[in-house]
């Protein structure tokens, strides 16, 4: 789907098979925050062989087409440009691409000292979510502490269980996009050393 196109009533466009992402969730490169970046931050990533870059990008968003597209468009001059490319490639995910990406996701880990009841509650909520939507629950937790992550995850699962499946597909896509950005920063840090 291209920018500025109109949305159908369903998140999956019948004509293109692509997810129809509401315009307000799309991010223009000009609106991205300016990130301080040392010159070598992108050098290691930009210098990776294409196959290795694609393989490492799969750890950011588990879809081969997305990973290849990001790898093939290197070199990126700035982190902002990489994020914009990541978002644009994510906008073009088909329903099958989204299913592939979601299949590789797992729940955020619980703190080591979480009570058995917390494990049971999270497991039951996730099972109900998977039964309703047919895929793993994904959530971007940003800088949430491990202690808060459990409550936030349980609250989000319970809240999102009320979503229509088409609406939830869009929410899951948005969470994956945000997770991909976070994981891209980790990848850049690893390859920039």
């Amino acid at each position: 789907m291209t920018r500025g196109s109109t949305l159908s009533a369903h998140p999956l466009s019948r004509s293109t098979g692509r997810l129809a992402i509401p315009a307000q969730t799309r991010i223009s490169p000009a609106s991205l925050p300016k990130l301080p970046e040392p010159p070598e931050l992108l050098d290691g990533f930009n210098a990776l062989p294409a196959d290795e870059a694609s393989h490492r990008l799969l750890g950011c968003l588990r879809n081969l087409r997305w990973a290849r597209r990001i790898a093939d468009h290197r070199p990126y001059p700035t982190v902002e440009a990489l994020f914009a490319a990541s978002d644009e490639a994510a906008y073009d995910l088909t329903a099958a691409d989204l299913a592939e990406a979601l299949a590789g996701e797992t729940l955020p880990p619980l703190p080591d000292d979480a009570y058995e009841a917390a494990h049971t509650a999270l497991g039951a909520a996730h099972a109900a979510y998977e039964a309703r939507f047919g895929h793993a629950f994904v959530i971007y937790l940003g800088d949430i502490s491990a202690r808060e992550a459990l409550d936030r995850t349980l609250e989000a699962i319970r809240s999102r269980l009320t979503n229509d499946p088409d609406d939830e597909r869009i929410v899951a896509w948005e969470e994956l996009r945000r997770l991909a950005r976070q994981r891209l920063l980790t990848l850049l840090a690893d390859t920039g050393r």
Side-chain angles (χ1 to χ4, degrees):
M1 187 168 150
T2 59
R3 292 185 191 273
S5 61
T6 59
L7 296 177
S8 65
H10 301 284
L12 184 63
S13 169
R14 293 173 199 266
S15 61
T16 66
R18 303 229 186 290
L19 287 174
I21 306 304
Q24 67 269 20
T25 65
R26 292 187 175 219
I27 298 173
S28 70
S31 70
L32 294 173
K34 301 292 183 212
L35 300 172
E37 52 193 73
E40 66 277 358
L41 184 62
L42 283 159
D43 290 348
F45 173 70
N46 284 332
L48 289 173
D51 287 344
E52 182 179 349
S54 291
H55 176 73
R56 295 193 65 182
L57 284 162
L58 285 172
C60 299
L61 195 146
R62 291 158 181 91
N63 174 262
L64 188 56
R65 194 166 65 90
W66 177 88
R68 285 184 180 151
R69 183 168 167 185
I70 301 304
D72 290 347
H73 286 90
R74 291 171 309 142
Y76 294 98
T78 64
V79 173
E80 290 176 15
L82 174 60
F83 279 175
S86 171
D87 287 347
E88 194 60 36
Y91 296 142
D92 289 337
L93 292 178
T94 65
D97 292 330
L98 181 61
E100 177 186 334
L102 288 169
E105 291 294 328
T106 60
L107 281 173
L110 288 174
D112 291 337
D113 60 347
Y115 293 104
E116 185 63 33
H119 288 276
T120 302
L122 186 59
H126 190 252
Y129 180 92
E130 282 191 328
R132 174 150 168 74
F133 299 113
H135 58 78
F137 175 80
V138 291
I139 186 169
Y140 170 78
L141 294 171
D143 295 327
I144 301 296
S145 72
R147 284 252 173 272
E148 295 175 276
L150 173 62
D151 290 337
R152 183 75 56 93
T153 302
L154 280 170
E155 176 186 314
I157 290 175
R158 290 175 180 146
S159 171
R160 287 168 52 185
L161 273 168
T162 65
N163 285 349
D164 172 87
D166 290 336
D167 292 339
E168 180 57 25
R169 194 172 305 119
I170 291 173
V171 173
W173 168 87
E174 177 65 20
E175 295 297 310
L176 279 175
R177 185 192 65 76
R178 294 173 72 200
L179 284 167
R181 283 175 164 241
Q182 179 184 36
R183 293 166 179 168
L184 279 168
L185 286 176
T186 301
L187 173 60
L188 292 179
D190 289 346
T191 58
R193 290 187 187 130

